[in-house]
Amino acid sequence: MTSTLNTTDTHHAPDDPMPLDEVDLADNDKFLDGVTPWRMFHTLRHQDPVHWQPEPEPNHGFWAVTRHEDIARVGRDPQTFTSTKFANLEELDDDQIKKRASILELDGVRHRAMRSLLQRQFGQGVINEYADFLRGLTARTLDTALAKGTFDFVADVAADFPINVLARLLDVPPEDNQQLIDWGNRIMGNTDPDYADVLLHSEESEQYRDLPFRSPASLEVFEYGRELARQRRGGTGTGTDLISRLVNQTPRDGVPLSAQDFDNYFLLLVVAGNETTRHTISHSMLALIQHPEQLTRLQEDPSLIPVAVEEFLRWATPVYHFRRTATRDVELGGKRVKEGDKVVMWYASGNRDEEVFGNPYDFDVTRQDNDHLTFGKGGPHLCLGNLLARTEIRIMFEELIPRLAGIRLAGDVPRVRSNFVNGIKKLPVEVTLA
C-alpha cells in the first residue's frame, strides 16, 4: 500500500481542519498522504488538546496529548508518566514487558545506569573526533549519488549515509549495510505491508508477541548482535566501538547486562538512530525542493545551515509519538487521567504549536529559538544520539547544498504506513550540479 506526495507543500496550515469526530490517530491509513495527520493535529490542539482516542482491540485507547506545553510536562515527569509499561501503543502483559524492555522502557536508577554505558560515545568530544570521517563519508556518498543525475535520494543518500556511520560505530563491515537497512525497515515498518514480515496485531503476529515490534526480523538482529558480542567480549572495555563498550562494562548501578538486556539494547542501536536520521534527511530535502527560496538562502549563506538543522528537525519530526502510562490519577489539560491510562505525546503536533512557534506551518531555515520536541524535551529520555544526529544532518547539507545548481522531484513520494514513524520510502530526484 502506498500513497504519494506532489510538489506542493503538505505541511501548510489546514484550511479545512478535520471535524473532531473524524479524527482517528489509531488509523495508520490516515498517515499515508502527508496531509491528514496535520489536519488531525490542528483540530486536536485547538479543540481537544488532551483527547481520548479509542483504539481497535486488543488495545483499549489512549490520551492524545498534542500541545507543546503538555507534551513537555509529560516527558519531564517519569514519576507520574512512566515508560516502564512500554513506549509504543501496543499493550503488553508483564511477561512481554520483561522480555522486550530496552532503555526506552526503563525509568530511574536503572535507566540512568544503562544510558551511562554509551553516554560518552555520543558526547560532544567523541562526536567531534568523528567529524573528518563524517565529512569524508558524506562526500563519497554524494559523489556516487549525484553522478547519476536522477536517483532515489532516500536509497542513495538519506539511507546510505547514516547506515555507514552506524557501521563505523558498531565496527562492522560496510558490506553489512544493506542488511542493517532491511532489518530497520522490517522492524520499524511493522504496520506497512511493503516492509513488514507480519503486520502488527495480525493473527500471524501472535507467534512473535514476545519480540520487539512483533517482528521476526528481531531474531535475525539478535543473532547478528550476539556474534559481535562473542567476538568483542573479554576486551578492556575501552574500545571505541559500541559493542565493546556494552559487553565489557558494568552499568553504574552494579547490575550487569543480561543476555536479554544486550539483545534489546543492540536492536535499539540498529534501528533507532539510523531510521530517524534517514527520515529527517529525506524530509529536509523534500522541504527544500518544495521551498526553493529556502534552498537559495542556504546556498547564498551556508553559515545558516546549523540554524537550519533545528528547523529540519522540527519540520521532519521523524517519530510522531512516544507513549507513557499514568502511575496515578492526575489532571492533564483539563482532563482527568486515570492510573493505568496510556498517555501519548504527539511530538509532531507539538512541533506545530502556534503558542510556541510563530507561523509554525512555514518552513523557515532562519527560524530562531526553535524549541522543538523532536528528541524529547528536557526529560530523562532525551535522545541519546541527538548530538550525533545533529552533526550528521549538518555535515550532510554543508556538503550537499554547495554542489546543487538545481533539484526537482522526478516521481511520486510514497510514505511509510505508520502512525509511529514519519517516514518517506522513496524520494526520486533529478539534480543539476553547480
Side-chain angles (χ1 to χ4, degrees):
M1 183 182 298
T2 60
S3 180
T4 61
L5 284 170
N6 57 31
T7 56
T8 59
D9 173 19
T10 60
H11 292 245
H12 61 281
D15 48 18
D16 59 339
M18 181 173 289
L20 184 59
D21 61 1
E22 295 180 15
V23 168
D24 187 357
L25 296 175
D27 182 356
N28 289 291
D29 287 334
K30 290 188 181 297
F31 290 78
L32 277 167
D33 63 8
V35 176
T36 301
W38 308 104
R39 294 179 62 210
M40 294 193 293
F41 295 145
H42 191 89
T43 294
L44 291 177
R45 280 198 312 277
H46 290 82
Q47 297 184 31
D48 195 15
V50 178
H51 169 75
W52 180 255
Q53 175 64 66
E55 292 179 278
E57 293 183 355
N59 285 357
H60 294 86
F62 58 84
W63 292 104
V65 184
T66 52
R67 289 190 308 196
H68 188 285
E69 178 182 8
D70 294 330
I71 293 167
R73 174 187 166 188
V74 171
R76 287 176 173 148
D77 186 2
Q79 287 76 34
T80 305
F81 304 102
T82 183
S83 300
T84 59
K85 298 298 183 183
F86 209 49
N88 301 130
L89 294 178
E90 187 183 357
E91 295 171 19
L92 308 182
D93 60 34
D94 289 343
D95 186 56
Q96 287 176 290
I97 291 171
K98 184 178 180 181
K99 291 176 179 176
R100 289 168 60 170
S102 70
I103 58 172
L104 294 179
E105 288 84 28
L106 296 171
D107 285 328
V109 172
R110 185 59 174 169
H111 175 250
R112 291 191 295 273
M114 294 277 273
R115 280 178 68 98
S116 72
L117 286 172
L118 299 183
Q119 195 114 30
R120 182 181 176 278
Q121 303 309 110
F122 290 103
Q124 192 65 66
V126 173
I127 299 305
N128 289 342
E129 294 174 6
Y130 278 106
D132 288 344
F133 161 74
L134 290 172
R135 201 166 291 280
L137 172 61
T138 307
R140 290 191 297 275
T141 296
L142 293 175
D143 286 345
T144 302
L146 296 176
K148 299 178 181 179
T150 301
F151 58 94
D152 177 7
F153 188 86
V154 171
D156 293 341
V157 177
D160 182 77
F161 172 58
I163 205 67
N164 272 286
V165 177
L166 177 66
R168 171 69 176 262
L169 293 173
L170 297 176
D171 192 18
V172 298
E175 51 264 33
D176 290 355
N177 286 358
Q178 189 56 52
Q179 181 63 76
L180 294 170
I181 291 171
D182 290 344
W183 280 329
N185 287 342
R186 290 162 60 195
I187 292 170
M188 297 287 276
N190 67 339
T191 55
D192 189 311
D194 289 344
Y195 285 153
D197 299 296
V198 294
L199 288 171
L200 183 67
H201 295 318
S202 65
E203 185 175 336
E204 188 182 1
S205 77
E206 271 300 298
Q207 63 184 301
Y208 305 110
R209 65 192 303 274
D210 292 338
L211 293 175
F213 296 89
R214 290 193 180 221
S215 173
S218 298
L219 291 172
E220 299 171 34
V221 175
F222 289 165
E223 183 178 354
Y224 182 82
R226 289 166 187 167
E227 176 58 23
L228 294 176
R230 187 191 64 77
Q231 296 170 8
R232 314 279 168 83
R233 187 171 286 111
T236 63
T238 60
T240 57
D241 71 277
L242 302 183
I243 307 304
S244 294
R245 306 287 295 187
L246 284 181
V247 299
N248 295 312
Q249 294 185 105
T250 299
R252 290 176 181 174
D253 62 357
V255 180
L257 257 65
S258 67
Q260 185 174 284
D261 289 336
F262 174 83
D263 283 347
N264 292 333
Y265 212 140
F266 178 75
L267 184 138
L268 185 63
L269 290 172
V270 167
V271 302
N274 168 59
E275 285 278 316
T276 52
T277 304
R278 157 189 163 183
H279 293 313
T280 299
I281 291 172
S282 301
H283 278 291
S284 302
M285 189 70 259
L286 178 60
L288 290 170
I289 293 170
Q290 293 172 333
H291 302 83
E293 79 288 351
Q294 298 297 310
L295 176 57
T296 298
R297 296 186 82 164
L298 296 179
Q299 290 171 320
E300 293 175 346
D301 185 2
S303 70
L304 290 172
I305 291 175
V307 172
V309 167
E310 299 307 310
E311 182 71 344
F312 295 164
L313 288 162
R314 181 189 77 89
W315 191 258
T317 318
V319 175
Y320 279 120
H321 72 258
F322 267 116
R323 164 228 174 153
R324 300 291 184 261
T325 303
T327 62
R328 59 182 177 87
D329 291 359
V330 63
E331 185 274 333
L332 180 65
K335 299 295 178 70
R336 192 68 180 171
V337 176
K338 296 180 180 179
E339 178 182 350
D341 284 353
K342 291 192 294 185
V343 179
V344 181
M345 302 173 289
W346 289 89
Y347 300 135
S349 177
N351 281 344
R352 298 295 186 277
D353 191 334
E354 297 86 347
E355 296 298 314
V356 176
F357 305 100
N359 301 311
Y361 293 99
D362 290 351
F363 177 66
D364 179 5
V365 297
T366 67
R367 186 183 296 275
Q368 301 294 316
D369 302 319
N370 198 331
D371 191 23
H372 64 75
L373 297 161
T374 299
F375 292 120
K377 178 179 165 53
H381 285 271
L382 175 72
C383 174
L384 188 62
N386 75 87
L387 292 176
L388 176 61
R390 285 181 160 108
T391 303
E392 289 183 63
I393 297 163
R394 174 178 59 79
I395 289 176
M396 168 56 67
F397 286 97
E398 284 176 349
E399 292 294 319
L400 173 60
I401 286 172
R403 298 176 184 228
L404 293 178
I407 183 169
R408 69 176 188 86
L409 286 181
D412 291 332
V413 183
R415 305 176 65 92
V416 179
R417 180 184 179 269
S418 174
N419 64 4
F420 178 56
V421 178
N422 183 14
I424 291 174
K425 294 180 182 177
K426 295 180 181 179
L427 182 59
V429 297
E430 181 180 334
V431 298
T432 306
L433 301 184

